[in-house]
Amino acid sequence: MSDALNRRTALIMMGASIALAGCRGGGGGAGGTNGRTLVVGRAQDNRNLDPAFEGSLTDGSIMELAYERLVREELSPEGVPTGKFAGVLAEKWESDPSGLVWTFHLRRDHKFDDGSPVTAQAFDFSYKRALKLQPGLAANFFWLKRYAVVDDYTLRFELGQPFPILLNFLAVSGVFVNPAVAAKAKDGDSAAAWLSENSAGSGPYRVERWERGQQLVMVANPHHPQRDRYFDRVVFRYIREANARRLEMEKGRIDVCEGVGIDDVERFKTISGVTLFNQPGPSMVFVDINNRNPVLSDIRVRKALALAIDYEAVVKSVMQGYATPQAGPIPIGMPGYDPTVKHPKRDVAAARALLAEAGHANAAFTLTYVQGGSTLNSTVLMIQANLKEIGVTLTLEPVAPSAAMEKIMGGTYELAMNNFVAAIADPWLVTFPLFFSKNAGPGGNTAFYANPKVDALLLRAQSEPDTPARLGLYREAQTLIVADVPRIFLFSANGLLAYRSELENVAYSAWRPLVYDVAAMRRRAGG
């Protein structure tokens, strides 16, 4: 059982600064020379490959290739989640009339990378292992009353309450880990050390080796039922310097460049042999406010900060239009989106008045963010300049990803650049993990926000079977959240990616950042 859901909530959020840092590399017209090896150039190394632990977007991209879940949500041709599901490890499933008992029948042709069959017992092993290593994960499975291994290929879930998005949830959480990995355990660590840099899944690829700071190599799982894969190897190269990435693209040494910089978008459009992916998506960028901070706990201070931001300038000048303004947690394109939720009009005088009323006319704060590239730097500099106009001194604190993660999850920051990528096209994911009070910290609520009325609405909504009524509850909760200003929402960034045009069946989606269906991809003959 994986913490993939948690990774896409609380812990993907540290990918905000990384994503904005971008890859300023361009590409040349030279054809690729990698043959049946797909080479991905990325700026950040992995952190931990164990699916039981929180990780970054780069960790998640490896796990998506190495592990499998019961189901997957199908995407439209435009890469948007459809609400329809296909089986992965599950061949079929059904629920009883109450919707509280779900039975999943597993396929018999899926095998782990050591050749052993994927069985229902593997779910039991994975779930218990994850909870042992990360007891807090139980909060993500609030809906689960109990489960039963009926036989080797049948799993039964009994829900403690209605959970309308169960399939959505299972599509992003709950990978099966090979129970044989228990033999790799040392000193009672449940094989955590070994799995931190290896894989033990049933996905189409497995980790062959990880050279930290250099590259991670994956090879085809010979036991996977999809045997007609074109690429037999996938290499993720860590190329920190933008110029170096550009040079590698021009020489055809990398096939994919992640995180294209905003300043290079127009340039990519004119380069032959390279395709630019540009799609609006649910990558929400915001300023986290530590609501437990003695000064920032005052709503007048938070409102003042929000009134100081020039949101239009951030989208137009910094993001150059490759983003959509977003003033609340539910992004455009997601059910429950409310177009009437707008950013407040910038009002320096009103912001100053609020600070004076709160007794903090000359406040000073520190903004923590992951060291990044020009787009991120421009964003934080604009925020700094905006706040200076209302009398707030903002100290910028660029730190390494691990340090930022520790400060934000631990609540030892004041303000922090952050983001969230919604893996599920449902408002549950952008509200319950991020704003429910009991999810404070690692659970996703890194603003440490608490409002009993919001809690009550979110609890009602997640078990409401009637869709219109459920979406209405989420809109009501969003209204309260926006009024409380626990975070300053800035925009939803477009998904940007550059890849060699000779690649076919790329099917990349802004809703699945850094996730590649390599098993379906091919290199066009003569490319």
Side-chain angles (χ1 to χ4, degrees), residues 233-464:
R233 293 166 64 85
V234 189
V235 177
F236 293 89
R237 292 183 55 196
Y238 311 118
I239 310 171
R240 184 173 295 277
E241 294 298 324
N243 289 336
R245 290 195 298 274
R246 181 176 62 247
L247 181 61
E248 293 300 277
M249 193 74 159
E250 290 172 348
K251 292 183 177 180
R253 292 175 178 168
I254 63 174
D255 298 304
V256 179
C257 179
E258 297 177 346
V260 174
I262 296 295
D263 293 338
D264 286 329
V265 171
E266 295 304 317
R267 179 180 175 185
F268 268 104
K269 292 179 179 179
T270 65
I271 299 173
S272 63
V274 172
T275 296
L276 175 70
F277 173 90
N278 173 25
Q279 181 189 71
S283 181
M284 302 176 287
V285 178
F286 50 85
V287 179
D288 247 341
I289 302 175
N290 189 338
N291 286 235
R292 290 181 179 175
N293 178 278
V295 178
L296 294 168
S297 63
D298 190 325
I299 190 172
R300 294 170 296 183
V301 175
R302 300 197 303 273
K303 285 185 174 180
L305 298 181
L307 284 170
I309 304 299
D310 190 340
Y311 301 98
E312 183 177 359
V314 172
V315 172
K316 289 185 176 180
S317 300
V318 177
M319 298 303 293
Q320 299 180 35
Y322 291 97
T324 303
Q326 182 168 338
I330 303 177
I332 189 170
M334 179 177 284
Y337 171 72
D338 185 351
T340 67
V341 177
K342 303 287 187 181
H343 283 126
K345 184 178 180 180
R346 189 167 192 249
D347 193 330
V348 172
R352 283 182 173 275
L354 282 170
L355 289 176
E357 180 183 326
H360 299 291
N362 297 300
F365 302 110
T366 297
L367 175 65
T368 301
Y369 64 99
V370 175
Q371 294 174 334
S374 62
T375 304
L376 175 62
N377 291 336
S378 297
T379 302
V380 297
L381 287 172
M382 180 170 286
I383 292 173
Q384 184 184 51
N386 286 167
L387 296 189
K388 184 178 180 180
E389 292 185 52
I390 66 169
V392 172
T393 299
L394 187 66
T395 300
L396 303 181
E397 183 187 33
V399 297
S402 58
M405 178 86 75
E406 182 177 353
K407 294 194 72 167
I408 293 177
M409 295 300 170
T412 60
Y413 73 98
E414 293 179 333
L415 303 173
M417 289 299 299
N418 219 330
N419 94 323
F420 179 84
V421 181
I424 296 175
D426 189 273
W428 177 85
L429 187 62
V430 295
T431 54
F432 185 79
L434 303 188
F435 297 101
F436 188 65
S437 61
K438 291 185 179 179
N439 287 329
N445 181 359
T446 51
F448 296 88
Y449 168 70
N451 182 330
K453 292 182 179 179
V454 171
D455 282 353
L457 285 168
L458 296 181
L459 288 173
R460 286 175 57 196
Q462 69 183 11
S463 60
E464 172 58 60

Side-chain angles (χ1 to χ4, degrees), residues 31-32 52 107-108 132 165 167 260 311 326 355 439 471 492:
R107 300 180 188 276
R108 297 171 182 259
K132 176 184 175 182
I165 61 166
L167 293 178
V260 174
Y311 301 98
Q326 182 168 338
L355 289 176
N439 287 329
L471 296 180
S492 287

Side-chain angles (χ1 to χ4, degrees), residues 28 30-32 249 255 268 271-276 498-506 522-524 527:
M249 193 74 159
D255 298 304
F268 268 104
I271 299 173
S272 63
V274 172
T275 296
L276 175 70
Y499 60 90
R500 309 209 70 81
S501 302
E502 67 207 33
L503 296 179
E504 298 178 335
N505 303 327
V506 176
R522 301 182 63 83
R523 193 185 302 281
R524 187 171 58 250

